[in-house]
Amino acid sequence: VRRLQQLLPGVRIWLDVDCVDDIGRLEESVADSATFLVFLSAGYFESCNCRRETYAALATDRPFIAVHEVDCTKGSASLAALRAECSTNCVDVAPPAHPSYSGPEEALAKIFGEPPVVWVRVHAFQLESLKAIALRMLRCTPVYLHHAAILAGGVAVPGQVGPHVFQRLVTIFVCRGNDGALNVAAEVAAAAREGRGLLSKTTCRRSRASTGTSTDTRVSETATVEVREADGALDGGDNRADAVLLLYLTNRIFLDESGAVARLVRRAIDQRIPVALVAEQDPARGGCPFRQCLQQTPQVLQQPPYKLYDALAVPLFTSEEHRKVSLRHILRSMGAVQC
């Protein structure tokens, strides 16, 4: 709430735990609001007062903005589990705030009709969550309801992570036995090309503005990235000055039968090739607590001279707005600079 108020100066946000002196006024307070923000975590629909607020928002046809908690230490639950919880608990017959309430299907349609905003607490990622919430709030205000095109490009705020670009040709090595690493590396390469394209356009515009000419000052085509398999290349001593090994941390890391991933990580570090750690956050894609990755990591890689985890892993999120930031942080860890 406090961060939203910083992003949207002048906005009035009613928070039930702070603002209700008389719990009997819950429905009245909801009716006075322009939008209804639902913070989805385990047990939300089991709360009688949370259901009262939900029924009041349904009765007054308030726009719902659903925010999904994804931190398992803060009460996270899957969307499927939250839908089931809603179906089980939102069964009150003719609740006082909404006598014509038709049942759980009405609540489900309103709350989950639009994909919820994913709530992430880490600073740069939290900013993206807040931007998404702010954008949905603004779209529901009278001004932007009639001028929706103004928000077509989204919103920008100070401190957000912009596109990144390499200033030289960089080779990203991946291990064949590191399941999923090749796909992540391809996404990183695409993000680098996006940054290069943006920098090219910006440089050209600045050149024209300062000289009045159309001189082509694009970034060199060699300032890009290539993705290669580490297997064979590192074993053959293919030691490139501008190379990095991408290690994708999932519940399958270092479980390859041949042990090739651990061997190639050692070989890369021996050749002074930096290792960029990327930690998957989605359990459906192999995301797991870091301690599991640590338990599966050979001791030799945890100790000097390797000390693999001295560097922090970049969390890789699935939601579009957070994944974009993840990819840019991965690029930064590989030496790219912000445009």
Side-chain angles (χ1 to χ4, degrees), residues 237-264:
D238 189 353
N239 188 352
R240 301 188 172 208
D242 295 318
V244 61
L245 175 68
L246 186 151
L247 190 64
Y248 182 43
L249 302 178
T250 70
N251 57 10
R252 300 179 298 279
I253 191 64
F254 296 121
L255 295 183
D256 55 307
E257 292 184 4
S258 66
V261 174
R263 176 175 53 79
L264 288 167

Side-chain angles (χ1 to χ4, degrees), residues 36-323:
F36 182 62
L37 193 151
V38 184
F39 198 82
L40 297 172
S41 59
Y44 175 83
F45 297 107
E46 295 174 357
S47 165
C48 176
N49 288 331
C50 289
R51 294 200 305 276
R52 285 175 54 193
E53 294 171 352
T54 299
Y55 297 145
L58 289 170
T60 53
D61 198 26
R62 291 292 176 266
F64 277 63
I65 301 174
V67 181
H68 183 208
E69 172 63 72
V70 294
D71 188 339
C72 59
T73 68
K74 305 292 185 181
S76 171
S78 69
L79 289 178
L82 289 165
R83 289 190 183 96
E85 185 182 292
C86 179
S87 297
T88 301
N89 292 279
C90 293
V91 293
D92 302 271
V93 177
H98 189 13
S100 61
Y101 177 60
S102 60
E105 294 76 13
E106 181 181 348
L108 287 166
K110 196 75 171 182
I111 296 170
F112 297 98
E114 186 176 6
V117 175
V118 176
W119 180 249
V120 181
R121 286 179 164 77
V122 181
H123 175 68
F125 300 96
Q126 185 186 73
L127 197 57
E128 293 301 314
S129 297
L130 290 165
K131 284 171 55 181
I133 295 170
L135 181 60
R136 294 191 188 188
M137 289 174 63
L138 290 171
R139 284 173 174 164
C140 296
T141 60
V143 171
Y144 294 107
L145 279 174
H146 296 93
H147 301 89
I150 298 175
L151 296 176
V155 295
V157 298
Q160 67 183 32
V161 180
H164 278 61
V165 63
F166 287 117
Q167 297 178 314
R168 62 197 184 284
L169 174 62
V170 172
T171 299
I172 300 177
F173 284 119
V174 294
C175 305
R176 191 179 304 144
N178 186 192
D179 294 342
L182 185 60
N183 291 335
V184 174
E187 288 188 71
V188 173
R193 287 190 287 270
E194 174 201 12
R196 187 190 65 189
L198 178 62
L199 184 61
S200 299
K201 294 176 182 178
T202 303
T203 305
C204 287
R205 286 197 297 268
R206 288 176 179 171
S207 176
R208 294 188 183 100
S210 62
T211 65
T213 67
S214 58
T215 303
D216 188 356
T217 58
R218 289 179 297 176
V219 176
S220 169
E221 289 296 323
T222 61
T224 184
V225 59
E226 64 173 354
V227 178
R228 295 187 60 193
E229 285 192 352
D231 311 64
L234 295 185
D235 285 333
D238 189 353
N239 188 352
R240 301 188 172 208
D242 295 318
V244 61
L245 175 68
L246 186 151
L247 190 64
Y248 182 43
L249 302 178
T250 70
N251 57 10
R252 300 179 298 279
I253 191 64
F254 296 121
L255 295 183
D256 55 307
E257 292 184 4
S258 66
V261 174
R263 176 175 53 79
L264 288 167
V265 170
R266 291 178 63 184
R267 185 63 57 86
I269 297 174
D270 287 340
Q271 296 180 23
R272 299 185 182 278
I273 294 175
V275 179
L277 302 174
V278 180
E280 177 59 62
Q281 301 297 297
D282 185 351
R285 300 187 180 194
C288 64
F290 175 71
R291 63 178 178 274
Q292 180 176 339
C293 295
L294 193 63
Q295 291 168 353
Q296 295 171 193
T297 303
Q299 284 295 316
V300 67
L301 289 175
Q302 300 183 44
Q303 300 169 352
Y306 299 105
K307 302 180 73 172
L308 178 62
Y309 297 120
D310 268 13
L312 293 177
V314 175
L316 182 63
F317 293 97
T318 303
S319 60
E320 181 179 355
E321 60 269 24
H322 297 102
R323 197 171 190 85

